[in-house]
Amino acid sequence: MDEHIRIGDVSPRVQYLADGHQASFTYPFPIFHADDIEVRVDGLVLAGGYQVAGAGASEGGVVAFDTPPAAGRRVTIRRNLPVARTSDFQANGILRARVLNDELDYQVAVLQEVKDGLSGALRLDLSEPGTGTVLPLREARANRLLGFDSTGAVTVVDRGEGTMTVPFPGGVPRTVEDKLAETLSARDFGAVGDGEADDGPALQSAMYAAAASGKVLEVGEGLFRTSMPLLLPGAAAGLSMRGTLLYAGSPGQAALTLGDGGAVNNQRKAYLGLGVLRAIQSDWIDEADVGIRIFNIDASRVEIRRAERFTIGVQLVGDGRGCEDSDIHYGRIADNRIGLDLRTLTANGWMNSLRHHGGHFACASATNPGIGRFGIRLSAAPGAYRLHNAHLFLGPGFELQRQGTPGTVDAIPFLVEVDGRGLIAEGVRMEACSPYVARHTGGFSDALYRVAYVGTYGFTGCGVQYSGATRAGGTVLPLHQAAAAQGTPRLVAEAGNVRARAFRWDASAIGFEGMAALSGNPSGPPSTLNGFCFAGLDSFGLNAETVTLPTSRALAFVVDCSTCKEFFLAAEGSGLRPMAMQFTAAEAVMDGSAPVLWSNMNAVWQGAPSYWWEGNADLDSLVGGLALNRLQRVTLAPNAAFAVIGVRGGNANALLKSLRLFAPATEAPQVLAGAGRAWGTRELTASLAYTLPSLAGNASTFQPVPLLNVQSGDYVQASFGGQASAYLEWTAAVAQTGAQGSVAARVTNRHASTPIPTASTTGTLFLRAVKPRL
C-alpha cells in the first residue's frame, strides 16, 4: 500500500435486500485483505460464490456475486478481522510511522467490530450498577426460563409448560414439548385439510421435516388438497394417515412417493392408512400417472385404504434394490387401469416374498369403457430383472366391468408379464370380469389361482390366457365348481408298464397296446392324424423291464381335446423329452402358429416333417439340483381338436418305463386307440356274409377273407354266426400278409357219414387276428 488506511467512523457492517438482479454490493468500510470480509445471505455464511474488490482502500470496495441472490434475500456484508497480533517492535529498533499507523488502524478496526457487536447485545443501562447479572449454574437453569426477581437481578423461573408422567412404575417426568415432539403433524406445518386450500407446500415441508428428524409424520382427518406431487424420503420413520390426499396436480406424476430409489433400502417402515384420490379421473394413457408409489420396501407394513382414479393405483418399485418380506393391506383400489403394479426398474432390482392382504380392485361401468383394465400386474421395465418370486395374495376381490356380454374389453384380475415362480392367490372373487383369472405373457411358473366366487355376465370358466407366453405356468382351481372334486386330477390314459405292452406288428415293426408310435422323420410327410400315428415302427429296443426310445421315435397317447385343453404328463425313465402334436377337427395337422406350452420348461417347435412341439430339456434333467422338469403340464392351443401327447428319446439311450396322462377332475377326454384306428391295438377283425355249402362226411372247404395288416405269426381264428351243426369245425390260417392281407377260413364236416348242412344256411363269417406279445 502506498499509504496507510484511514479508519473513519464507519460501521463495519452493511445490509441489503436483494432484488434478484443485482449482483454487486458495495461496502463503505476499509479492509486490509480480501478474506477480512464475511458475507451472509439470510444468516447463512457463504464459503464462496463471490469476489471481493477494494482491499486496502480507505473508502471500502465491492462484493460481486457469481449469481445474483434471489429476490427477497437479505445480504449482510461485515468486516470480520482475526483478533491476533502477528508483528512485534524490536527493542532499540527503528520505529517507522507507517508500521505504527498500520498497527493502530488494525486495533481501531477491531474495536469498531466489537462496538458493532455490542450494539445488538442485551445489556444494562449505563446508569445502573453492574451487579446481579451473573447467570445461575447449569444445573439450576436447566429446563427453566431466564427472568428477573423483585430487585431486577437475574433469576430463573418455571417454564410454565408443566411435565407429564405415565401412570406406571418407572415413569419419568417429561415436558409437554418433549412429548409432543415424538411425532410430527401435518397441521404443525400449516396443512388445513378442508379440500379447498392447497396443502401441498405444507405437506411437503412436513415430510422433509419427518425425514430430517427420523420421525413418523401424521396426517389427520380431512381432505388435503395438493397441486404438487409429494415425496416422503426414506429417512422418515413412517407415515400415518387418517385423512385423504386429493391430488389436483399435473398428470404424469406419482401423487405420493414413499422411500428413495437407487440402492437405498426402505426398511422397517410403517405406512398406515394411506389414501389418495385423484381430483379428475385419469384417461389411462400415461402409466406415469400413479397414485401411490413405494420404493424398495423391505420388512415393513403398509396399509392402503384407497387409491382411486389413476392409471396405476398403487405401484411397488424395485430400483437398485428390491421389495421383499413385507405385508401390504389393501382397501378400495378403484377406477384405475392397473390397480396394483409390482414393477422392477433395474437389473439389480427385485420383487420377492410379499404378502398381499385383501383389496377391492374395481372399476365403475362408465370409467373409460373402451379400454382394457387389470387388477394386479407383475411387470418389469426393459432390461430390468424379470424373476418375480413368492407372492401371496389373500382374498382379493375383482369387479372390473368387462363391458358387454361377451366382453368387448379385457377385464382380467392378474396380468403376469414376467418370469419367476410362486404366485398364490387364495379366495379370489371375480365379478363382472373376463372369463380369465389371469393373462400370462412371459415365462412364469407355478402360479396357483384358487377362485372362490364368480358372478354375472354368463361366466364360462376361469382359466389362464396365454398370450405370447413361453410357459404354461398357471393353475386354476375354481372352488365354486364342485370344490371337493378338484383335489384329484382324472387319470385319462395309463401305461404302467410300457415294456409289457409291446407286441410284434410285423417282421420289423413293434407296436405298443393303447399307444401310438411316431417317427421324427416320417416320409411324405403325412398331413393327417392317421398318417402321423403308426401302429408300429422299427428301432425300438426291448429290454427286460424297459423300452429303449431313440431320438427318432416317440410313444404317445392320442386324445380328443375339443373341450379339454390342459393335460398333465407323467413319465418314468431316463433321457425322455416331452412332445405333443395338434390336429384340427378335420384331423389336419396344425403348424407352429398354434403353440403348445409346457409348465416347467420352454417349448420348441420342430416343424416339418415331424410337426411336433417338444420341451427344451429332458424330464430327468436337473434345475438347480432338483428334477423340476418331471412336473409337466401341457396346455394346448384353443383351436386344437385332437392331440398326441407323449415322450421321445432325448438321447440314443433313453429308457421308458411307464407313461401316464391326467386331465382336470371336471374333464373326461376320449382316448383314441383301435376301433378303426390302426394304432394301439393287438387285435384285428373282419367279417363276411357267408352261406355254408353242403359238405360230405370229413370234407372241408376254404373261404378267403380280407384282413388288413395281418402277418404271418399272428394268432388267427374263425367262427360262424348262424344255424350250423355242432359237427362243423372252423379253423383259420394267414393266407396273405401285409397291408392287403387276408385269412383263409376252413370249415370241416367231422360227421363221417352224414352230409352237413342238409339245407342252405346263411350267416356271418367272423375272423380275428391277434398280434403276439414280445
Side-chain angles (χ1 to χ4, degrees):
M1 293 180 289
D2 295 336
E3 59 181 33
H4 70 85
I5 292 176
R6 292 185 300 275
I7 303 297
D9 186 11
V10 180
S11 174
R13 179 180 57 170
V14 65
Q15 289 184 314
Y16 298 93
L17 189 63
D19 61 5
H21 302 284
Q22 182 179 352
S24 296
F25 299 86
T26 60
Y27 59 92
F29 49 83
I31 61 173
F32 298 90
H33 303 284
D35 54 6
D36 293 341
I37 282 288
E38 178 186 273
V39 180
R40 296 178 180 235
V41 175
D42 284 348
L44 180 65
V45 178
L46 302 185
Y50 61 88
Q51 289 79 40
V52 178
S58 299
E59 65 276 9
V62 175
V63 172
F65 287 86
D66 297 342
T67 302
R73 296 294 182 89
R74 185 171 297 278
V75 179
T76 302
I77 304 173
R78 64 183 288 262
R79 187 172 60 218
N80 186 19
L81 299 178
V83 183
R85 184 178 178 189
T86 58
S87 62
D88 199 7
F89 297 110
Q90 300 295 321
N92 301 321
I94 299 175
L95 184 60
R96 299 184 180 275
R98 177 177 175 180
V99 175
L100 182 60
N101 284 329
D102 287 344
E103 291 290 335
L104 293 175
D105 287 340
Y106 196 93
Q107 293 180 25
V108 171
V110 170
L111 290 173
Q112 285 181 340
E113 294 176 17
V114 173
K115 181 180 178 181
D116 184 66
L118 290 175
S119 67
L122 186 67
R123 62 189 186 279
L124 293 175
D125 188 82
L126 296 178
S127 64
E128 295 189 35
T131 58
T133 57
V134 178
L135 291 177
L137 295 176
R138 177 187 297 271
E139 293 79 3
R141 67 177 186 266
N143 264 330
R144 308 294 296 278
L145 296 178
L146 188 64
F148 303 94
D149 62 15
S150 60
T151 66
V154 174
T155 186
V156 290
V157 296
D158 189 79
R159 293 172 64 173
E161 59 187 15
T163 59
M164 301 176 63
T165 305
V166 294
F168 297 100
V172 177
R174 299 173 58 196
T175 65
V176 175
E177 180 183 36
D178 288 342
K179 182 66 177 177
L180 293 177
E182 287 183 351
T183 58
L184 297 176
S185 170
R187 285 191 164 90
D188 292 338
F189 294 82
V192 178
D194 62 358
E196 298 293 336
D198 188 358
D199 289 324
L203 290 169
Q204 189 58 72
S205 296
M207 291 179 180
Y208 284 149
S213 60
K215 294 182 178 180
V216 173
L217 174 63
E218 291 189 355
V219 178
E221 295 82 358
L223 187 62
F224 295 82
R225 181 177 177 274
T226 174
S227 62
M228 58 185 289
L230 301 174
L231 165 66
L232 179 66
L239 175 63
S240 177
M241 293 181 62
R242 295 185 298 277
T244 298
L245 299 181
L246 177 64
Y247 182 68
S250 58
Q253 306 279 344
L256 175 62
T257 299
L258 304 175
D260 309 300
V264 181
N265 194 11
N266 197 17
Q267 196 173 51
R268 298 183 298 277
K269 295 298 191 303
Y271 299 130
L272 306 178
L274 307 182
V276 177
L277 175 66
R278 202 174 188 273
I280 301 175
Q281 173 65 54
S282 168
D283 59 9
W284 291 359
I285 302 301
D286 189 354
E287 287 200 2
D289 191 57
V290 178
I292 301 173
R293 177 179 288 149
I294 307 176
F295 280 101
N296 299 335
I297 194 75
D298 183 7
S300 299
R301 176 182 172 87
V302 181
E303 180 186 282
I304 301 172
R305 291 183 296 107
R306 64 188 301 189
E308 302 182 41
R309 301 180 183 174
F310 296 87
T311 302
I312 298 176
V314 180
Q315 186 176 62
L316 271 60
V317 178
D319 175 28
R321 290 187 61 86
C323 295
E324 61 184 345
D325 300 330
S326 296
D327 288 89
I328 304 100
H329 295 253
Y330 305 94
R332 181 176 173 81
I333 314 297
D335 288 328
N336 310 291
R337 181 176 182 268
I338 298 168
L340 169 64
D341 186 25
L342 307 176
R343 187 169 183 81
T344 53
L345 287 185
T346 59
N348 53 353
W350 60 86
M351 194 68 58
N352 293 332
S353 302
L354 295 174
R355 296 166 295 277
H356 308 267
H357 303 264
H360 185 194
F361 299 88
C363 290
S365 59
T367 302
N368 298 325
I371 303 177
R373 68 286 312 273
F374 302 88
I376 297 168
R377 182 176 75 174
L378 278 64
S379 66
Y385 191 61
R386 290 181 54 83
L387 294 177
H388 289 31
N389 298 315
H391 290 280
L392 175 62
F393 295 88
L394 297 174
F398 302 92
E399 195 171 356
L400 299 177
Q401 304 298 336
R402 71 173 183 170
Q403 305 295 328
T405 305
T408 54
V409 298
D410 293 323
I412 300 176
F414 290 87
L415 174 59
V416 183
E417 299 178 339
V418 295
D419 306 331
R421 292 183 180 275
L423 186 161
I424 298 176
E426 292 282 355
V428 177
R429 172 198 174 199
M430 292 175 60
E431 189 157 359
C433 295
S434 296
Y436 301 102
V437 68
R439 172 184 290 170
H440 287 208
T441 65
F444 202 91
S445 299
D446 304 332
L448 174 62
Y449 306 97
R450 199 183 300 269
V451 181
Y453 174 79
V454 175
T456 69
Y457 284 147
F459 181 78
T460 58
C462 39
V464 175
Q465 182 187 58
Y466 297 102
S467 178
T470 58
R471 297 282 179 92
T475 297
V476 181
L477 296 180
L479 302 185
H480 66 294
Q481 292 182 354
Q486 298 295 334
T488 304
R490 187 183 305 279
L491 180 63
V492 175
E494 177 183 25
N497 187 331
V498 175
R499 174 62 183 86
R501 289 172 172 258
F503 61 84
R504 192 200 69 143
W505 177 252
D506 59 28
S508 60
I510 299 173
F512 295 85
E513 195 165 8
M515 308 175 75
L518 294 105
S519 171
N521 189 29
S523 61
S527 60
T528 63
L529 178 63
N530 288 331
F532 280 101
C533 296
F534 296 94
L537 291 171
D538 60 9
S539 301
F540 292 108
L542 300 182
N543 312 308
E545 298 290 341
T546 60
V547 176
T548 300
L549 204 60
T551 58
S552 62
R553 294 290 182 263
L555 284 178
F557 297 113
V558 184
V559 293
D560 182 332
C561 64
S562 55
T563 60
C564 180
K565 305 301 180 183
E566 290 197 332
F567 294 84
F568 186 89
L569 179 68
E572 188 70 21
S574 61
L576 303 172
R577 187 156 297 195
M579 58 77 60
M581 300 178 67
Q582 301 178 111
F583 298 85
T584 66
E587 300 190 10
V589 67
M590 297 172 67
D591 59 22
S593 63
V596 167
L597 298 178
W598 306 98
S599 59
N600 280 347
M601 64 173 65
N602 293 336
V604 179
W605 170 244
Q606 294 298 331
S610 62
Y611 285 95
W612 69 47
W613 290 87
E614 66 178 40
N616 67 337
D618 295 343
L619 292 173
D620 59 345
S621 60
L622 301 182
V623 178
L626 301 175
L628 297 177
N629 291 332
R630 294 186 63 189
L631 312 174
Q632 288 300 329
R633 184 180 67 243
V634 55
T635 299
L636 305 172
N639 55 338
F642 299 94
V644 178
I645 304 172
V647 292
R648 76 160 176 89
N651 56 67
N653 300 312
L655 297 177
L656 176 60
K657 297 180 181 179
S658 62
L659 191 67
R660 290 178 172 87
L661 192 65
F662 300 85
T666 54
E667 302 290 344
Q670 182 184 25
V671 180
L672 303 182
R677 307 286 187 175
W679 64 86
T681 181
R682 293 174 54 218
E683 181 176 312
L684 308 176
T685 60
S687 61
L688 183 71
Y690 186 64
T691 301
L692 282 171
S694 179
L695 296 174
N698 293 322
S700 299
T701 187
F702 293 89
Q703 175 62 48
V705 180
L707 185 57
L708 299 180
N709 297 308
V710 71
Q711 302 290 325
S712 296
D714 293 350
Y715 303 110
V716 292
Q717 295 175 303
S719 64
F720 181 72
Q723 297 294 327
S725 170
Y727 289 101
L728 294 179
E729 178 184 68
W730 292 90
T731 59
V734 176
Q736 179 182 351
T737 65
Q740 304 299 323
S742 66
V743 175
R746 176 179 179 179
V747 59
T748 303
N749 180 6
R750 293 303 182 188
H751 199 290
S753 60
T754 303
I756 300 174
T758 57
S760 176
T761 300
T762 300
T764 303
L765 181 59
F766 295 100
L767 274 298
R768 175 174 180 259
V770 179
K771 302 289 183 179
R773 291 194 183 275
L774 295 176

